[in-house]
Amino acid sequence: MKRLALFKELRRHRKLAEKRALSYRQNKAAKVMIYIGSSLMLLYLIFIAIMLSLVANDSTSVTQLEFIFGLAPFILLIDFGFRFMVQQTPAQLVKPYIVLPIHKFACVDTFLGTAMLNSSNLIWFTLLIPYALMSLIFSYPIWTTLVFLLFWWLLIVANSQWYLICRTKITDSQLWWLLPVAVYAIMAAPILSELGKKKGWENFFELYAGIGTLMERGNPLPLLGVIALLTALFFINRKIQYSHVWKELAKVEITKLHSVTRFSFLDQYGEIGEYLKLEIKTILRNKNPRKSFISSAAAVFFFILLIAFTDVYDGDFSSNFWCIYCFVILGTMNIIKVMCNEGNYIDGLMVHKENILNLLKAKYIFYCAMLIFPFLLMLPTVFTGKWDIAMLLSYGVFTAGFQFFILFQMAVYNKQTIPLNEKFIAKGNVDNNYFSVAASISAFAIPMILVNILQNLLSKDMSYLIMFLIGLLFIATSRLWLRNIYNRLMKRRYVNMESFRASR
């Protein structure tokens, strides 16, 4: 089979695998919500394009091409950050093809080719095409506009390859976050060299606007440069993905326990205590749960330092948002996947009556206890006078009550096993579950809407009290709603168990 035919066949297999995935047809209502949100985002990008076009057309100091390229680093940075929020590193379909006589890079090339041809790389064209129609098509030859759009497509595709490289390395170690930080610091060097001065921003803008100047003159250097960049990133990414996949395939698990931590202080709590031990040991001993937990803790720590010792996020709206974010991020990264880790041994959990109920109670106790850490980390904001201790208490209790109530509903709907250690060769990806995306958005959006309504109608202290009482009500009734979740889960246990087994 020729290389191109093999690529097409493997890509067809990948599309079929996605359509046959357990989460492909479920949660249609949640999918509709996501599509509506995406449509609103696209309309927002069109509005931004119109505003940028009006500014560029009125400018006398720069041309329309120079203006949009001066903003290129910001667009690429937003694209990179947005990918981290919504796009995981998808598992690669490698296992079924290991023994076949095909090129060793065939599966990885298909994975990278699919990532490059993904329709998500065209989202920014809802900004670029309106801008081109309003500012470029009547000012430049048609071929210049076409080269402009081709250049941007290649640049965004290169950014997707850059994202995959960073995401893969960060999966190895959180220290790899220093790589994108260093790269974007180099890109911002003209600003940093003249920090706090207007000249720094002018130098920064002029540097990247120079790409537009070259393109206006018909110079092929920008196009050749972006092709070279994309090629280099592709082959670097290809080697990284191949090495990670085969390292994971060839890995032999050898467990060496020099000492066994028994957490004997939890023995007094009976079966719930045993599940608390299980939850702690799952995080301590398994790669994926541990990294998810560390990532959420690191995110909280980073934003708290930024808020406590800078004035970047001063203001009532920012204070409310980041306080809620720091409390709920632990839940959205961990509770949202409730029962997915347990899918690896779900049959054992179904042996005795109400095992799952006690497991849910233990998880709820554990994550409520974990809220102590963001609370302690946020105390410097109180000591510096930026935030109020009443705000921390009310939002912490509200998170433990209402927001955890929303997130724990996923125990009923999650039915895809998350591998405890494998990352690159797993069968599926839990993030395809649109209901989990809707639940995460609700966990952030509902408290923000409620807080803004309360603070517009009442005083801050009264709004904090109402948030505190709502959270306290859900905490006090946690046994009732956890049992409700358990009863609903038991009604569909056979469907969920079958899906957990199939996705291992």
Side-chain angles (χ1 to χ4, degrees):
M1 186 179 286
K2 293 183 180 180
R3 196 65 178 273
L4 182 59
L6 179 61
F7 175 82
K8 289 180 178 178
E9 186 64 23
L10 291 177
R11 192 158 182 260
R12 188 176 72 86
H13 288 187
R14 178 173 288 276
K15 287 183 177 180
L16 288 173
E18 290 174 356
K19 289 182 179 180
R20 292 168 180 168
L22 301 170
S23 58
Y24 183 75
R25 295 186 180 278
Q26 70 178 9
N27 311 134
K28 291 184 178 179
K31 282 185 181 181
V32 171
M33 290 174 61
I34 300 302
Y35 292 151
I36 292 172
S38 301
S39 300
L40 292 173
M41 184 189 72
L42 296 179
L43 289 173
Y44 188 64
L45 285 174
I46 293 172
F47 173 75
I48 293 174
I50 294 170
M51 299 303 295
L52 292 177
S53 297
L54 294 174
V55 174
N57 293 342
D58 291 339
S59 177
T60 56
S61 57
V62 292
T63 64
Q64 290 91 335
L65 272 174
E66 290 173 340
F67 180 80
I68 192 66
F69 280 109
L71 300 175
F74 299 106
I75 295 174
L76 293 177
L77 181 59
I78 293 169
D79 179 65
F80 182 79
F82 191 72
R83 290 177 190 274
F84 263 96
M85 288 189 287
V86 300
Q87 180 183 345
Q88 299 287 326
T89 304
Q92 299 181 34
L93 302 178
V94 173
K95 283 184 177 180
Y97 308 103
I98 293 174
V99 297
L100 295 181
I102 60 177
H103 192 275
K104 65 178 183 178
F105 284 114
C107 293
V108 174
D109 286 347
T110 305
F111 162 71
L112 295 179
T114 303
M116 292 170 68
L117 298 174
N118 196 299
S119 59
S120 63
N121 292 328
L122 300 175
I123 289 174
W124 283 104
F125 278 78
T126 56
L127 182 147
L128 296 168
I129 290 177
Y131 181 86
L133 291 174
M134 292 185 65
S135 299
L136 303 182
I137 200 164
F138 299 113
S139 302
Y140 300 95
I142 187 66
W143 67 267
T144 304
T145 304
L146 294 176
V147 169
F148 165 81
L149 294 174
L150 175 62
F151 178 91
W152 269 103
W153 180 75
L154 292 171
L155 192 61
I156 292 166
V157 170
N159 208 40
S160 73
Q161 296 297 300
W162 165 240
Y163 160 79
L164 286 174
I165 291 170
C166 293
R167 185 84 194 193
T168 303
K169 300 304 290 183
I170 289 168
T171 301
D172 288 339
S173 171
Q174 296 295 317
L175 292 175
W176 280 102
W177 273 107
L178 296 174
L179 174 63
V181 170
V183 169
Y184 289 114
I186 292 171
M187 289 176 65
I191 300 175
L192 299 175
S193 63
E194 300 282 348
L195 195 62
K197 299 180 182 178
K198 187 178 180 181
K199 187 178 178 182
W201 286 100
E202 290 177 354
N203 292 340
F204 175 84
F205 191 85
E206 288 175 5
L207 175 65
Y208 295 102
I211 300 172
T213 305
L214 292 173
M215 195 172 289
E216 287 175 345
R217 297 171 181 172
N219 194 317
L221 190 59
L223 198 57
L224 294 175
V226 76
I227 291 172
L229 175 65
L230 175 58
T231 304
L233 289 172
F234 175 84
F235 283 104
I236 292 170
N237 197 13
R238 186 192 200 205
K239 187 172 182 179
I240 288 173
Q241 297 297 330
Y242 179 80
S243 64
H244 278 71
V245 165
W246 283 97
K247 183 172 69 174
E248 202 164 84
L249 281 169
K251 185 177 180 181
V252 178
E253 290 289 340
I254 301 174
T255 304
K256 293 182 179 180
L257 295 177
H258 299 289
S259 61
V260 178
T261 307
R262 299 187 179 278
F263 301 106
S264 55
F265 67 94
L266 295 173
D267 291 342
Q268 59 185 310
Y269 301 107
E271 191 173 339
I272 291 178
E274 294 301 318
Y275 283 121
L276 282 168
K277 293 180 188 179
L278 177 64
E279 192 67 26
I280 296 169
K281 290 182 179 181
T282 297
I283 293 171
L284 292 177
R285 294 182 180 178
N286 296 286
K287 182 179 177 181
N288 290 337
R290 181 171 63 248
K291 286 190 174 179
S292 179
F293 193 85
I294 292 172
S295 297
S296 57
V300 172
F301 186 69
F302 172 76
F303 284 114
I304 290 304
L305 287 179
L306 202 63
I307 292 163
F309 301 107
T310 70
D311 57 358
V312 175
Y313 293 115
D314 287 354
D316 290 340
F317 180 84
S318 295
S319 297
N320 289 327
F321 177 84
W322 289 112
C323 187
I324 290 169
Y325 177 89
C326 289
F327 274 122
V328 82
I329 187 63
L330 198 68
T332 53
M333 293 185 71
N334 297 280
I335 302 175
I336 202 72
K337 301 171 184 176
V338 61
M339 299 306 299
C340 291
N341 290 332
E342 287 73 21
N344 291 282
Y345 45 86
I346 191 68
D347 302 86
L349 294 173
M350 292 292 185
V351 172
H352 296 291
K353 185 181 180 180
E354 297 193 348
N355 267 5
I356 300 295
L357 178 59
N358 288 328
L359 173 66
L360 292 174
K361 289 178 180 178
K363 282 181 175 289
Y364 182 68
I365 292 169
F366 175 77
Y367 284 104
C368 284
M370 288 300 100
L371 290 177
I372 295 171
F373 293 103
F375 178 82
L376 294 175
L377 287 172
M378 285 188 277
L379 284 179
T381 60
V382 177
F383 300 148
T384 55
K386 293 194 172 187
W387 289 0
D388 193 339
I389 188 67
M391 182 173 73
L392 295 188
L393 288 171
S394 64
Y395 291 176
V397 171
F398 186 83
T399 299
F402 181 78
Q403 287 163 287
F404 281 6
F405 162 76
I406 292 176
L407 296 173
F408 265 90
Q409 303 300 318
M410 290 306 302
V412 180
Y413 304 103
N414 284 338
K415 53 182 182 180
Q416 192 164 345
T417 302
I418 293 181
L420 295 175
N421 292 294
E422 291 82 8
K423 187 72 176 177
F424 301 101
I425 58 172
K427 279 190 180 180
N429 193 342
V430 74
D431 296 295
N432 290 331
N433 189 340
Y434 288 93
F435 193 87
S436 66
V437 178
S440 298
I441 293 172
S442 299
F444 283 111
I446 292 175
M448 282 303 301
I449 294 170
L450 182 60
V451 166
N452 284 315
I453 292 172
L454 290 174
Q455 291 190 354
N456 285 327
L457 297 176
L458 306 167
S459 65
K460 283 187 178 181
D461 290 338
M462 186 58 67
S463 68
Y464 295 152
L465 178 61
I466 292 173
M467 296 282 286
F468 180 85
L469 292 175
I470 292 172
L472 201 62
L473 176 65
F474 278 91
I475 293 173
T477 58
S478 60
R479 287 181 175 272
L480 297 177
W481 54 260
L482 283 172
R483 180 167 286 279
N484 175 263
I485 292 171
Y486 167 73
N487 290 335
R488 287 156 53 212
L489 175 58
M490 286 300 102
K491 288 180 181 179
R492 49 185 291 165
R493 62 185 178 275
Y494 297 115
V495 174
N496 285 16
M497 287 174 69
E498 183 180 358
S499 297
F500 281 131
R501 293 191 197 108
S503 58
R504 286 176 190 166

